[in-house]
Amino acid sequence: MNNILVKGDISGIQEFIFNIQSDGAAKALKARSFFVEAVTILAEKRIKDDFPNAERIYNGGGNFYIKIDKADWDESKFNEIKASIYKTFLRNNLLMSLSFLDCSNVVSNKYNDCINKINEINSEDKLSWISG
């Protein structure tokens, strides 16, 4: 695979969605669930705006994966997007961690191994963000 794999993952979803008072709980649950879905869609759109040939692999449940051709990749542009997204969504007590992996650096170069590796990287990114 000669692609960059990007993962976006929202932390704090359960507390955000379920930390509501009982009055109007059903409406609030729907609204907050919609908000989380909208955040991932908007983050994906932001990435696709700057990387027009990017392709969605998956988007749901508060996370997404996007494939970007290595020839189109610009790490500094990605870091600008990442900073903007962090700044925007941190105000809502949600953390959107964004990570990337150059799949050509994965020894087996298999899709499953790239997914596993990006998940590891994203978990490490979340921990460093939270602790630091």
Side-chain angles (χ1 to χ4, degrees), residues 11 15-16 19 21 35 44 55 68 72 75 78 85 93 96 101-102 109 113-115:
S11 295
E15 184 177 335
F16 175 74
N19 189 13
Q21 297 178 4
F35 181 80
E44 177 186 342
E55 295 179 42
I68 301 172
D72 297 332
E75 187 173 344
F78 175 77
I85 289 172
N93 296 322
M96 163 76 72
L101 170 68
D102 181 344
N109 206 13
D113 293 336
C114 288
I115 291 289

Side-chain angles (χ1 to χ4, degrees), residues 48-91:
K48 286 182 169 181
D49 285 348
D50 283 14
F51 298 100
N53 295 321
E55 295 179 42
R56 173 196 295 167
I57 296 172
Y58 173 81
N59 190 333
N63 63 75
F64 61 85
Y65 297 89
I66 297 174
K67 178 177 72 170
I68 301 172
D69 190 285
K70 196 171 176 178
D72 297 332
W73 181 246
D74 180 340
E75 187 173 344
S76 62
K77 188 187 298 185
F78 175 77
N79 287 332
E80 289 172 17
I81 294 167
K82 185 174 169 175
S84 173
I85 289 172
Y86 282 8
K87 184 177 177 182
T88 301
F89 294 115
L90 187 60
R91 286 185 242 145

Side-chain angles (χ1 to χ4, degrees), residues 6-24:
V6 173
K7 179 179 182 177
D9 187 24
I10 298 177
S11 295
I13 294 174
Q14 285 187 330
E15 184 177 335
F16 175 74
I17 290 178
F18 296 113
N19 189 13
I20 55 175
Q21 297 178 4
S22 59
D23 293 340

